[in-house]
């Protein structure tokens, strides 16, 4: 059902601990070898290649790669009223949180007439990827779009895989979510090819495409599988990216106070995403570990996507990790750097404050990851595969850049001119100093 890893009584270095912890066997480095030719082909062949790849990977050849306006109207008209209400509530909560994320500029006066200002400027255009293979993610539309809108980005484009059941267009619920958010530039393009299209643009090849199907963007964001993550790595530098958000993962740090049904249900909730999804329990309680194992079996076999869940739980990326104490557990989850980390221990809030490496932390028995996936108000596009050691989840900060503005008067520059000259000469760059001296 799920592997066990016993770290009790072991003293491991940071490197040894990272190597011991469960991870998916397919790594971004491996996927990049398969993705590189796709990126090159999209760049050279444009819409023709996008249609060929859709036929190859999605089983449908889209007539319209850019979604026509009528499809949004139809999708919104057919949306279940309860689903619409849930989408609108999520938009409201996510918008409230992300509005508070807007960074503030500042002005520093270093001396009379010597001023440095910083202002935050949104990027001009973003490409937002919404996966749509094994599941449908209108929630990811919201997470991407709202963050970009609250950052003030003037041009937004969304891409999501074409669906055979929807005449080669993205899923109707995806289109309805876009309509509710006021986004009308949406492409029926999935996977690594969507990242390539955003990074380099794509020329049209059929009448309905126009001469240019899609203009290039400045930043690409959004979750996806390991191939999407690999594509983002390969185009980084051509465009900005949020993080290499690959297949989902959950880690739960729990002690004997945790409820085994809660823990098992939460592990399964993320395993439901993908057979390669990672579900990891770190616990100091052997009793809890045993109880969770028993519940996993019952719950996994009875859930709708049982085959997918069972495969994910039995994979090398999932495990129950036994530790001596919550203290050791903190070290383990910090080394793991989970996309989603639940804290189900006594004094969970205090334990959460000691965690440095996680995409998002969910505190206590009533803050499950499923809450964050939808209506917590936080963003569910988060770094995976250990990238939480250096990357943040998606937010307003993903779509803005800091611009520094320097303004000195003649007197202010004159006061430090000799020091600048000295510094320039010390670096053997005398023309730098001369550029100051010439003004006096």
């Amino acid at each position: 059902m799920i592997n066990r890893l016993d770290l009790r009584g072991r003293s491991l270095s940071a490197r040894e601990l990272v190597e011991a912890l469960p991870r998916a066997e397919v790594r971004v480095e491996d996927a990049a070898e398969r993705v590189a030719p796709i990126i090159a082909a999209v760049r050279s062949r444009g819409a023709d290649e996008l249609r060929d790849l859709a036929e190859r990977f999605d089983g449908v050849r889209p007539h319209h790669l850019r979604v026509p306006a009528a499809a949004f109207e139809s999708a919104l008209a057919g949306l279940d009223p309860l689903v619409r209400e849930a989408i609108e509530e999520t938009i409201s909560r996510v918008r409230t949180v992300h509005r508070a994320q807007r960074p503030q500029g500042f002005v520093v006066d270093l001396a009379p007439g010597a001023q440095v200002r910083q202002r935050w400027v949104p990027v001009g255009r973003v490409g937002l990827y919404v996966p749509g293979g094994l599941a449908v993610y209108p929630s990811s539309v919201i997470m991407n779009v709202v963050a970009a809108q609250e950052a003030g980005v003037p041009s937004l484009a969304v891409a999501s895989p074409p669906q055979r059941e929807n005449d080669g267009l993205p899923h109707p619920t995806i289109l309805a979510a876009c309509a509710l958010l006021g986004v009308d530039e949406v492409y029926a393009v999935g996977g690594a090819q969507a990242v390539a299209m955003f990074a380099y643009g794509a020329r049209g090849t059929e009448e309905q495409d126009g001469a240019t199907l899609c203009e290039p963007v400045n930043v690409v964001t959004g979750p996806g599988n390991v191939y999407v993550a690999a594509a983002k790595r390969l185009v980084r530098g051509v465009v900005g990216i949020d993080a290499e958000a690959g297949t989902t993962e959950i880690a739960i740090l729990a002690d004997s106070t945790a409820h085994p049904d809660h823990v098992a249900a939460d592990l399964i909730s993320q395993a439901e995403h993908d057979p390669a999804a990672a579900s990891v329990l770190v616990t100091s309680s052997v009793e809890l570990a045993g109880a969770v194992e028993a519940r996993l079996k019952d719950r996994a076999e009875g859930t709708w996507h049982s085959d997918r869940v069972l495969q994910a739980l039995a994979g090398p990326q999932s495990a129950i990790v036994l530790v001596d104490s919550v203290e050791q557990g903190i070290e383990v989850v910090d080394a793991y750097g989970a996309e989603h980390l639940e804290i189900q221990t006594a004094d969970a809030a205090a334990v959460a404050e000691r965690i440095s490496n996680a995409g998002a932390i969910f505190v206590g028995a009533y803050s499950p990851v499923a809450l964050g996936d939808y209506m917590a108000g936080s963003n569910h596009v988060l770094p995976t595969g250990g990238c939480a050691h250096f990357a943040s989840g998606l937010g307003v900060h993903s779509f803005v850049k800091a611009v520094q503005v320097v303004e000195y008067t003649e007197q202010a520059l004159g006061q430090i001119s000799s020091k600048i000259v000295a510094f320039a000469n010390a670096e053997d760059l005398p023309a730098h100093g001369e550029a100051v001296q010439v003004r006096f």
Side-chain angles (χ1 to χ4, degrees):
M1 168 60 69
I2 190 167
N3 299 312
R4 275 205 189 194
L5 173 61
D6 195 343
L7 298 182
R8 291 174 298 173
R10 298 174 64 182
S11 179
L12 301 176
S13 68
R15 179 186 60 80
E16 290 170 334
L17 183 54
V18 168
E19 290 179 351
L21 292 173
R23 286 289 185 198
E25 290 180 331
V26 177
R27 305 303 292 264
V28 174
E29 297 84 4
D30 303 322
E33 295 181 10
R34 298 179 61 180
V35 164
I38 291 174
I39 292 174
V42 170
R43 190 176 181 185
S44 64
R45 298 186 64 235
D48 276 344
E49 184 65 21
L50 293 172
R51 287 188 170 90
D52 288 350
L53 290 168
E55 193 167 19
R56 173 181 166 192
F57 292 123
D58 303 302
V60 61
R61 190 174 185 87
H63 177 69
H64 290 286
L65 285 168
R66 178 164 177 172
V67 177
F72 296 104
E73 298 167 8
S74 175
L76 199 53
L79 186 62
D80 184 310
L82 289 177
V83 175
R84 177 169 182 158
E85 185 179 340
I87 289 174
E88 290 175 337
E89 178 68 24
T90 299
I91 291 171
S92 175
R93 288 173 177 258
V94 172
R95 196 174 295 285
T96 299
V97 171
H98 286 67
R99 186 169 292 133
Q101 289 183 352
R102 294 175 182 171
Q104 301 300 311
F106 60 79
V107 177
V108 176
D109 291 306
L110 296 155
Q115 187 179 89
V116 175
R117 306 186 293 274
Q118 181 168 290
R119 56 191 174 91
W120 292 92
V121 180
V123 299
R125 177 168 164 79
V126 299
L128 312 173
Y129 183 67
V130 177
L134 295 176
V136 180
Y137 295 104
S139 56
S140 287
V141 177
I142 297 168
M143 301 299 170
N144 277 279
V145 170
V146 170
Q149 288 177 336
E150 289 304 313
V153 176
S155 177
L156 286 72
V158 171
S160 192
Q163 307 288 312
R164 279 177 294 182
E165 300 79 5
N166 196 33
D167 197 28
L169 297 178
H171 194 279
T173 312
I174 298 292
L175 300 181
C178 289
L180 290 172
L181 287 159
V183 176
D184 61 5
E185 185 181 350
V186 181
Y187 296 91
V189 181
Q193 55 268 34
V195 176
M197 177 188 72
F198 282 146
Y200 295 104
R203 61 184 176 83
T205 54
E206 296 186 8
E207 183 179 355
Q208 65 272 24
D209 300 335
T212 299
L213 172 70
C214 178
E215 296 286 0
V217 305
N218 305 119
V219 172
V220 177
T221 72
N225 60 21
V226 69
Y227 300 106
V228 172
K232 289 163 83 174
R233 177 178 291 188
L234 292 176
V235 301
R236 185 181 222 162
V238 176
V239 293
I241 66 169
D242 50 346
E244 295 176 6
T247 308
T248 192
E249 58 195 27
I250 179 176
I252 301 176
L253 176 58
D255 62 13
S256 60
T257 66
H259 196 301
D261 281 317
H262 297 172
V263 174
D266 292 351
L267 292 172
I268 288 171
S269 73
Q270 295 308 296
E272 180 178 44
H273 279 283
D274 193 283
S279 296
V280 177
L281 168 62
V282 179
T283 183
S284 55
S285 171
V286 177
E287 293 76 15
L288 178 70
V292 168
E293 282 180 325
R295 270 114 172 135
L296 281 177
K297 187 175 188 304
D298 293 339
R299 286 183 171 275
E301 291 177 350
T303 195
W304 180 258
H305 297 294
S306 59
D307 290 346
R308 191 187 305 166
V309 168
L310 289 167
Q311 188 175 343
L313 292 175
Q317 72 277 9
S318 299
I320 294 176
V321 182
L322 294 173
V323 292
D324 290 311
S325 62
V326 170
E327 191 72 26
Q328 186 187 12
I330 291 172
E331 294 179 11
V332 169
V333 297
D334 240 358
Y336 184 71
E339 177 190 19
H340 310 97
L341 173 63
E342 290 186 3
I343 309 294
Q344 297 196 38
T345 66
D347 203 7
V351 172
E353 288 300 310
R354 299 178 60 193
I355 305 298
S356 299
N357 303 319
I361 303 174
F362 299 82
V363 181
Y366 295 95
S367 303
V369 168
L371 171 66
D373 282 342
Y374 300 109
M375 290 190 190
S378 57
N379 204 295
H380 79 199
V381 181
L382 301 165
T384 61
C387 291
H389 286 89
F390 54 83
S392 305
L394 189 71
V396 168
H397 54 271
S398 306
F399 302 105
V400 294
K401 53 186 178 176
V403 176
Q404 295 184 10
V405 181
V406 179
E407 185 174 358
Y408 272 54
T409 63
E410 179 182 1
Q411 181 183 8
L413 179 60
Q415 287 178 345
I416 58 173
S417 61
S418 62
K419 294 184 175 71
I420 296 173
V421 171
F423 218 138
N425 290 337
E427 292 192 344
D428 194 26
L429 297 170
H432 282 63
E434 291 163 6
V436 171
Q437 288 174 315
V438 71
R439 287 165 164 76
F440 300 98

